[in-house]
């Protein structure tokens, strides 16, 4: 009690300050979610309450500003990291148009209003109008949580955000330079050169450094996270050196790493967890601590100006969203989502106003008015985005899926500890993201006198699998079987768990017994109809640049056509890798037709391949960071060709440095006559693939 009585306000003890902030981060969203109000609003209002203009528990000191700065940089970084790059390339014209609308409409309206309505000079009017044009993706975490980051309206909004904020920051540089008398030809040349150098380093040098680092430090997950953060803040600092705000550097860092961090990876999970639970809440609280409601009691003129500014700020952003909706045929929900995301003012707005205040272009009343604008627009942005986002998520969920869009139940037989992480990672990428089925790592123990020892050893391996999968926030259900042989154990697990896909590792070694009696894979192909993927991961998955897919004739006529094509498309989306399809023209045309209109979009190239024998001479066309995927077939099926039998030998001989996958598509059960194919007929000429 004595200690509590001795406490002075505001708090100065760093332990107590951090404890209070964590309590706010914990409690505020929970309370406001119960009231059906977005948790983001709770954090902002909590900042208002405990800040220097509230009950004065906390000062907005250097530590709060530091974490707040990290938070806004984190928001911009994640926006770039989660952006649908293929969709952005297809809609870049729309992003440019929307960016121009959401910049020009507010800045022209604001300049006229401040010059002729409130009597400001040209420099001051343009500077104040810039806060109309700029906006911050404050509500982006809501979109990310609802799984809408790949929607075209979101992609266009994010692209437009960068365009308008960059334009605002350039206007800020021009106005500041003009106020200081620094505008000259040398100034423009210096700005252009520094911006070009900055963007070149971040967009072209950083990805190459990151690709090299991820290959060298593949197993050190903590080091990878620290490395990513280092790149983000290095890019932000380079942006400041170039004469623009740090948020542009953070966003470009996200774009640079977009294709190197799969969205289902453990690294992505760490990035989202730390950002959403620590840094971004700190930023929201720091925004709330800026608000001073006493500005509303300084006179009627201030109140009128504040109300007019808020109405115009909202109206101009709504008008830009409305025009974009009408131009490109978006729905009302998408329009509201564009408006909600582009309404909040925070980072760039603060930068503009604080610079203007320091230069003496605006007074304290305009500064306080801006802070109130930030609070109101942040609240409205959160409400509108939450409501429109939920409505769009419901619409997206009601879309009729194709036959391949059903829950995936993926079995991962494990025997080699070295391949566990890669096989689990690949399985998570292949899983349908719309369903929440677990991955099933399987250990099969042969029923003999050593069974107890084997059960103990393989259970330890399975624990490694679940430990790795938990880092990606994915569900895993461990399965153990004791059977007379490995193949029987896998087959029993497939039936009992209603498995749809089996992911197994490659093993180039083949024994005499295998040649005589057939391998585990041969047994699985003969006795199952599920899709089987035989995988060798030679390079880190996240460094894959292209996926080269070899497709046999008539592969599009198989029962499992849509499922294997969806698996390849999911891999492309997760890895940010371009797909290169090689096959006969008729088959390629069918694949092109199937992929048309699928979301999210993928970048695909179609190159004719007259026959599978040409595959042997393709080595010079395949790069080290390419993944080779061969769509094979079971014997007796419509797409089977005897040339497929040489594929395993070619892969092991010519593509040793490449990751590759052999896919045996889902089939109708195949019936065999007694005088036809025997088990031995399935034995390949060279090493087979399963890691069992």
């Amino acid at each position: 009690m004595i200690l509590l009585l001795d406490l002075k306000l505001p708090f100065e003890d760093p332990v107590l300050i951090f404890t209070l902030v964590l309590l706010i981060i914990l409690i505020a969203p929970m309370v406001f979610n119960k009231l059906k109000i977005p948790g983001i609003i709770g954090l902002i209002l909590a900042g208002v309450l405990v800040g220097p203009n509230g009950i004065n528990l906390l000062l907005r000191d250097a530590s709060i500003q530091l974490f707040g700065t990290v938070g806004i940089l984190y928001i911009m970084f994640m926006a770039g990291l989660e952006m649908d790059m293929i969709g952005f390339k297809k809609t870049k014209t729309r992003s440019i148009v929307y960016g121009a609308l959401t910049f020009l409409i507010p800045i022209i309206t604001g300049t006229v209003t401040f010059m002729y309505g409130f009597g400001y000079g040209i420099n001051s009017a343009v500077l104040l109008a810039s806060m109309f044009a700029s906006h911050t993706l404050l509500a982006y975490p809501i979109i990310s949580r609802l799984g809408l980051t790949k929607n075209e309206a979101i992609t266009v909004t994010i692209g437009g955000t960068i365009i308008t904020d960059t334009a605002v920051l350039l206007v800020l540089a021009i106005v500041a330079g003009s106020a200081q008398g620094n505008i000259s030809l040398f100034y423009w040349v210096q700005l252009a050169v520094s911006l070009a150098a900055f963007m070149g380093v971040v967009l072209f040098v950083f990805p190459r450094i990151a690709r090299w680092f991820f290959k060298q430090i593949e197993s050190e997950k903590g080091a990878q996270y620290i490395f990513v953060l280092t790149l983000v803040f290095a890019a932000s600092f380079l942006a400041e050196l170039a004469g623009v705000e740090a948020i542009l550097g953070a966003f470009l860092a996200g774009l640079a790493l977009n294709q190197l961090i799969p969205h289902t990876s453990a690294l992505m999970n760490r990035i989202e967890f730390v950002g959403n639970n620590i840094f971004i809440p700190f930023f929201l609280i720091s925004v709330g601590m800026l608000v001073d409601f006493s500005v509303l009691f300084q006179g009627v003129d201030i109140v009128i100006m504040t109300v007019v500014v808020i109405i115009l700020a909202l109206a101009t952003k709504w008008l830009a969203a409305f025009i974009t909706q009408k131009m490109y045929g978006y729905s009302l929900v998408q329009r509201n989502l564009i408006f909600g995301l582009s309404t909040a003012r925070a980072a760039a707005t603060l930068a503009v106003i604080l610079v203007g205040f320091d230069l003496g272009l605006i007074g304290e009343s305009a500064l306080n008015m801006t802070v109130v604008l930030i609070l109101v627009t942040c609240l409205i942005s959160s409400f509108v985005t939450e409501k429109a986002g939920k409505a769009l998520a419901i619409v997206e969920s009601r879309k009729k899926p194709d036959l391949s869009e059903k829950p995936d139940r993926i079995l991962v037989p494990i025997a080699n500890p070295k391949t566990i992480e890669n096989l689990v990672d690949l399985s998570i990428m292949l899983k349908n993201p719309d369903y929440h089925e677990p991955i099933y790592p399987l250990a099969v123990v042969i029923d003999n006198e050593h069974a107890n020892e084997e059960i103990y050893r393989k259970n330890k391996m399975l624990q490694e699998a679940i430990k790795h999968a938990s880092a990606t926030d994915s569900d895993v259900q461990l399965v153990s079987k004791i059977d007379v042989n490995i193949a029987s154990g896998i087959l029993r697990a497939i039936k009992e768990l209603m498995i749809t896909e089996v992911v197994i590792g490659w093993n180039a070694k083949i024994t005499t017994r295998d040649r005589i009696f057939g391998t585990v894979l041969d047994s699985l192909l003969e006795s199952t109809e599920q899709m089987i993927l035989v995988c060798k991961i030679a390079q880190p998955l996240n460094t894959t640049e292209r996926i080269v897919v070899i497709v046999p004739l008539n592969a599009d006529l198989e029962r499992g056509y849509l499922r294997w094509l969806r698996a390849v498309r999911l891999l492309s989306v997760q890895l940010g890798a371009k797909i290169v399809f090689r096959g006969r023209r008729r088959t390629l045309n069918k694949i092109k037709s199937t992929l048309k209109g699928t979301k999210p979009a993928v970048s695909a190239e179609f190159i004719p391949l007259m026959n599978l024998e040409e595959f042997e001479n393709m080595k010079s066309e395949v790069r080290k960071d390419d993944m080779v995927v061969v769509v094979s077939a079971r014997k007796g099926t419509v797409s089977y060709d005897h040339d497929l039998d040489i594929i395993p030998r070619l892969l092991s001989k010519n593509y040793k440095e490449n990751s590759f996958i052999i896919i045996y598509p889902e089939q109708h059960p195949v019936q065999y006559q007694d005088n036809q194919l025997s088990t031995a007929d399935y034995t390949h000429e060279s090493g087979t693939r399963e890691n069992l």
Side-chain angles (χ1 to χ4, degrees):
M1 291 297 293
I2 295 175
L3 177 61
L4 291 175
L5 290 174
D6 286 341
L7 288 176
K8 296 179 181 179
L9 297 182
F11 297 148
E12 296 180 356
D13 182 7
V15 176
L16 184 57
I17 292 172
F18 199 73
T19 302
L20 179 59
V21 172
L22 290 180
L23 283 174
I24 292 172
I25 294 172
L26 173 66
I27 297 172
M30 295 169 58
V31 172
F32 278 78
N33 285 334
K34 291 288 185 182
L35 300 173
K36 307 298 182 183
I37 299 174
I40 285 176
I41 293 177
L43 292 168
I44 295 173
L45 293 180
V48 176
L49 180 65
V50 303
N53 301 311
I55 59 177
N56 198 29
L57 292 181
L58 298 177
L59 284 176
R60 195 173 186 273
D61 58 12
S63 61
I64 298 293
Q65 291 181 41
L66 172 63
F67 278 96
T69 301
V70 173
I72 183 57
L73 294 180
Y74 223 98
I75 289 176
M76 299 305 295
F77 168 63
M78 288 178 62
L81 191 62
E82 296 184 352
M83 195 169 185
D84 180 5
M85 293 302 296
I86 305 301
F88 176 70
K89 290 175 183 177
K90 292 184 176 181
T91 61
K92 60 185 177 183
T93 302
R94 299 185 177 191
S95 293
I96 293 170
V97 170
Y98 171 68
L101 289 171
T102 198
F103 171 72
L104 293 175
I105 293 175
I107 201 166
I108 292 172
T109 304
T111 301
V112 171
T113 301
F114 284 111
M115 281 186 67
Y116 299 105
F118 300 113
Y120 281 91
I122 181 65
N123 280 346
S124 300
V126 171
L127 198 66
L128 286 168
S130 297
M131 71 183 180
F132 281 12
S134 69
H135 60 256
T136 300
L137 297 172
L138 182 114
Y140 183 80
I142 296 174
I143 296 300
S144 182
R145 172 169 51 83
L146 293 172
L148 299 173
T149 57
K150 303 295 184 183
N151 187 275
E152 183 180 307
I154 305 301
T155 302
V156 168
T157 306
I158 295 173
T161 298
I162 297 308
I163 291 169
T164 186
D165 280 357
T166 302
V168 166
L169 296 173
L170 289 175
V171 168
L172 172 62
I174 293 169
V175 172
S178 176
Q180 296 171 329
N182 293 334
I183 297 295
S184 64
L185 179 61
F186 175 75
Y187 171 81
W188 289 109
V189 171
Q190 184 184 37
L191 182 63
V193 171
S194 60
L195 280 175
F198 151 66
M199 295 181 71
V201 170
V202 174
L203 294 178
F204 297 101
V205 177
F206 277 21
R208 286 169 171 75
I209 295 173
R211 188 179 298 276
W212 174 85
F213 185 87
F214 288 144
K215 285 185 177 182
Q216 304 303 315
I217 317 291
E218 184 180 1
S219 60
E220 297 292 334
K221 306 303 181 184
Q224 289 185 357
Y225 176 73
I226 298 300
F227 171 75
V228 168
L229 280 191
T230 303
L231 287 188
V232 173
F233 290 101
S236 302
F237 178 67
L238 289 176
E240 292 181 334
L241 287 181
V244 293
E245 282 298 306
I247 55 174
L248 180 60
F251 178 78
L252 291 182
L255 293 183
L257 298 176
N258 183 285
Q259 298 183 340
L260 294 173
I261 304 179
H263 293 175
T264 57
S265 65
L267 178 57
M268 188 66 165
N269 189 48
R270 289 185 177 93
I271 291 170
E272 291 179 336
F273 178 83
V274 175
N276 291 335
N277 293 286
I278 300 294
F279 293 132
I280 294 175
F282 254 102
F283 164 69
L284 297 172
I285 292 170
S286 71
V287 169
M289 294 173 72
L290 286 169
V291 177
D292 183 5
F293 284 115
S294 65
V295 68
L296 299 177
F297 304 100
Q298 293 179 356
V300 177
D301 291 343
I302 297 297
V303 174
I304 293 174
M305 179 185 282
T306 303
V307 171
V308 170
V309 165
I310 291 172
I311 291 173
L312 287 178
L314 296 174
T316 52
K317 289 297 182 181
W318 184 88
L319 184 58
F322 176 78
I323 295 173
T324 304
Q325 176 212 356
K326 293 302 181 183
M327 288 180 65
Y328 301 119
Y330 293 139
S331 66
L332 290 176
V333 173
Q334 287 177 308
R335 182 196 69 195
N336 291 338
L337 209 51
I338 294 172
F339 169 64
L341 270 179
S342 62
T343 296
R345 271 73 167 182
T349 303
L350 279 176
V352 168
I353 296 305
L354 290 175
V355 169
F357 183 74
D358 292 339
L359 293 174
L361 294 174
I362 61 172
E364 190 172 347
S365 60
L367 178 63
N368 289 330
M369 174 196 67
T370 304
V371 174
V372 174
L373 172 69
I374 289 173
L375 174 64
V376 174
T377 55
C378 287
L379 297 182
I380 291 176
S381 172
S382 301
F383 271 118
V384 174
T385 304
E386 180 97 9
K387 184 177 180 180
K390 286 181 177 178
L392 185 60
I394 292 171
V395 171
E396 295 274 339
S397 67
R398 287 176 177 171
K399 290 181 180 177
K400 186 177 180 181
D402 62 45
L403 295 177
S404 70
E405 301 294 329
K406 58 184 180 181
D408 291 309
R409 300 174 70 88
I410 302 178
L411 187 71
V412 188
I414 292 173
N416 186 347
K418 296 179 180 179
T419 64
I420 290 176
E421 289 191 7
N422 284 331
L423 292 180
V424 170
D425 283 341
L426 182 65
S427 301
I428 292 170
M429 292 180 187
L430 293 171
K431 189 163 69 77
N432 191 331
D434 295 330
Y435 299 94
H436 300 287
E437 293 288 338
I439 302 294
Y440 295 91
L442 169 68
V444 179
V445 175
I446 297 176
D447 190 6
N448 56 29
E449 64 273 14
H450 303 296
N452 288 336
E453 296 175 11
E454 280 296 300
I455 290 173
Y456 176 77
R457 186 178 69 84
K458 293 202 170 182
N459 277 340
K460 286 187 68 176
M461 283 197 299
L462 290 180
Q463 290 300 324
E464 288 298 315
I466 196 170
K467 179 181 176 182
H468 179 71
S470 64
T472 67
D473 204 21
S474 300
D475 294 330
V476 172
Q477 183 175 320
L478 304 182
V479 183
S480 298
K481 297 291 179 186
I482 300 179
D483 217 311
V484 292
N485 59 53
I486 301 294
S488 296
I490 297 175
L491 291 170
R492 191 148 61 91
I494 290 173
K495 293 176 182 177
E496 291 175 0
L497 298 172
M498 295 183 291
I499 296 299
T500 59
E501 286 129 277
V502 181
V503 176
I504 59 179
W506 167 283
N507 179 16
K509 298 177 182 178
I510 191 167
T511 64
T512 302
R513 181 185 179 283
D514 291 334
R515 293 188 182 278
I516 297 173
F517 297 105
T519 65
V520 172
L521 177 62
D522 295 331
S523 299
L524 294 180
L525 293 175
E526 183 179 359
S527 306
T528 67
E529 59 188 79
Q530 285 77 10
M531 182 166 76
I532 297 176
L533 298 94
V534 186
C535 316
K536 175 193 171 187
I537 310 300
Q539 304 291 338
L541 287 169
N542 61 327
T543 63
T544 303
E545 290 187 353
R546 300 189 305 169
I547 302 174
V548 181
V549 185
I550 309 300
V551 187
L553 184 65
N554 297 328
D556 56 306
L557 303 179
E558 297 284 5
R559 173 189 176 187
Y561 165 66
L562 290 177
R563 182 171 283 276
W564 73 252
L565 187 59
R566 192 205 66 186
V568 172
R569 185 170 63 85
L570 281 175
L571 265 184
S572 171
V573 171
Q574 291 291 343
L575 299 174
K578 180 180 182 179
I579 310 175
V580 180
F581 288 100
R582 303 294 304 268
R584 300 289 285 272
R585 291 186 185 276
R586 186 186 65 78
T587 305
L588 295 182
N589 289 335
K590 178 63 181 294
I591 294 172
K592 187 184 300 184
S593 174
T594 305
L595 289 177
K596 188 177 181 180
T598 57
K599 293 183 179 180
V602 294
S603 175
E605 184 180 358
F606 301 85
I607 302 175
L609 185 73
M610 296 310 297
N611 54 64
L612 289 174
E613 292 178 356
E614 291 184 23
F615 178 58
E616 188 170 2
N617 302 317
M618 274 179 51
K619 175 60 180 173
S620 59
E621 303 175 29
V622 177
R623 309 163 193 162
K624 186 177 180 181
D625 288 322
D626 289 347
M627 175 185 287
V628 179
V629 175
V630 178
V631 181
S632 190
R634 293 165 168 86
K635 287 188 177 181
T637 57
V638 67
S639 63
Y640 175 75
D641 186 299
H642 70 276
D643 286 337
L644 290 171
D645 291 342
I646 67 171
I647 292 297
R649 183 175 62 189
L650 290 179
L651 288 171
S652 61
K653 177 183 177 182
N654 296 347
Y655 300 91
K656 294 179 181 179
E657 295 184 348
N658 295 93
S659 298
F660 55 77
I661 302 173
I662 303 178
I663 299 178
Y664 294 89
E666 177 184 9
Q667 302 285 356
H668 291 288
V670 181
Q671 302 295 327
Y672 300 99
Q673 301 297 328
D674 291 339
N675 61 348
Q676 286 184 322
L677 303 173
S678 66
T679 303
D681 290 327
Y682 286 93
T683 306
H684 292 291
E685 297 178 45
S686 175
T688 54
R689 295 119 333 253
E690 74 283 11
N691 193 14
L692 292 167

